[in-house]
Amino acid sequence: MNIKKVHILYFSPTHTTKTVVQNIGKGINLETYDYDLTFSCNNPKNYNFEKDDLVIIGIPVYGGRTPVITREMLGKIKGNNTLAIPVVVYGNRDYDDCLLELKDILKENGFISIAGGAFIGEHSYTKKVGTNRPDNKDIEKAREFGKLIKEKIENNSHFEDIKVKGNYPYKADMPKLILAPTPNTNCIDCGNCISVCPTGAIDINNHKKITPEKCIRCYACVRICKFNGRELVGNPLEKILNFLETTCLSRKEPEIFI
């Protein structure tokens, strides 16, 4: 099969998924087009790809599933027997059914997943879990994965959907929590948080005004603040943090399917 273009699409508020899929693309080493879908959820666009395209789609894992906010967006990405690489990035706990779910969505939309991967990123809730990942070792594995994908395309003329880990029916979505980081006394009103919020939960005219119902707790606003100026008041995620920081510290390695 003669693949002419590689299209890389990702939802990545804290850039971990972006880093992984872009480095997979570098390993493939063909003409590449980049689509940042992080700010497209409120107004998703239609994307259509053909048989001579290769599409890499990356999303973060939310409680072992695809993020609810991304599903309408994913539904508008269409293929025509187009080869695809589903990629999920999780915070060193588990990716559960997310990779299978993403692969199934792509299949329904006209794609053939010839490879897939689950990589690790620093957990959104705590820097103690998956610290500084994806790191250099992860990036090298992503590029090697890209090289394997290119070899598979060059050496095969017939492709079928791969098998990946996961169960169907998928596990239930996480209960919706109405919580959002808010400014504290360290906040200097710089407004950087507004530029990284993917859902518009932070008011563009008054960044101290928050709509918690819109927040997906990606913590992009917390990560970008150089002054530790945003936090979840009262530590409502204490039980989750205790679980993560006591049982999810052992390093997990990327898993690839090809």
Side-chain angles (χ1 to χ4, degrees), residues 4-240:
K4 297 179 179 178
K5 300 175 182 177
V6 179
H7 302 270
I8 302 176
L9 300 87
Y10 50 86
F11 177 82
S12 186
T14 57
H15 307 296
T16 53
T17 302
K18 175 182 178 180
T19 298
V20 169
V21 293
Q22 285 184 337
N23 278 284
I24 294 171
K26 289 179 180 178
I28 296 173
N29 194 29
L30 293 173
E31 183 179 2
T32 300
Y33 295 83
D34 197 275
Y35 308 79
D36 186 348
L37 306 182
T38 306
F39 302 97
S40 300
C41 292
N42 291 330
N43 186 27
K45 300 178 182 178
N46 292 305
Y47 294 91
N48 295 282
F49 300 100
E50 297 300 329
K51 293 181 180 179
D52 57 356
D53 293 318
L54 174 65
V55 177
I56 305 172
I57 300 182
I59 59 169
V61 177
Y62 268 48
R65 294 286 305 278
T66 61
V68 173
I69 196 172
T70 67
R71 292 176 195 166
E72 182 181 358
M73 175 189 74
L74 291 170
K76 294 195 172 187
I77 302 171
K78 304 293 186 179
N80 178 21
N81 289 321
T82 306
L83 303 187
I85 315 296
V87 178
V88 301
V89 177
Y90 69 103
N92 206 59
R93 183 194 65 81
D94 204 327
Y95 59 95
D96 297 303
D97 303 330
C98 187
L99 183 59
L100 175 63
E101 183 181 13
L102 178 57
K103 185 182 79 74
D104 289 346
I105 290 171
L106 294 176
K107 184 176 182 179
E108 184 177 346
N109 291 353
F111 293 92
I112 302 169
S113 293
I114 62 164
F119 286 75
I120 295 84
E122 185 172 283
H123 202 285
S124 296
Y125 290 176
T126 171
K127 292 185 176 183
K128 296 180 181 179
V129 180
T131 307
N132 295 326
R133 298 184 73 182
D135 56 21
N136 290 337
K137 187 177 179 181
D138 296 315
I139 289 171
E140 181 60 29
K141 288 189 176 182
R143 293 187 182 183
E144 289 297 325
F145 183 37
K147 292 176 183 177
L148 292 174
I149 293 166
K150 187 176 183 181
E151 289 176 7
K152 182 172 184 177
I153 292 170
E154 291 176 341
N155 295 335
N156 293 276
S157 58
H158 179 69
F159 298 99
E160 295 181 352
D161 249 23
I162 54 159
K163 292 183 178 181
V164 301
K165 288 184 180 179
N167 297 295
Y168 183 86
Y170 315 125
K171 65 179 296 187
D173 285 311
M174 293 187 300
K176 185 173 178 58
L177 301 176
I178 309 302
L179 302 170
T182 55
N184 58 30
T185 55
N186 294 328
C187 176
I188 65 164
D189 296 332
C190 68
N192 286 338
C193 52
I194 296 171
S195 66
V196 297
C197 179
T199 64
I202 305 172
D203 191 287
I204 193 169
N205 297 312
N206 177 8
H207 71 272
K208 293 190 176 183
K209 181 179 179 182
I210 314 296
T211 305
E213 292 81 4
K214 291 183 177 182
C215 179
I216 60 171
R217 294 181 306 286
C218 65
Y219 276 48
C221 61
V222 175
R223 296 296 173 86
I224 200 173
C225 184
K226 299 178 181 179
F227 310 99
N228 295 318
R230 302 186 79 83
E231 63 180 332
L232 273 178
V233 177
N235 198 16
L237 301 178
E238 182 177 6
K239 289 184 179 179
I240 297 174

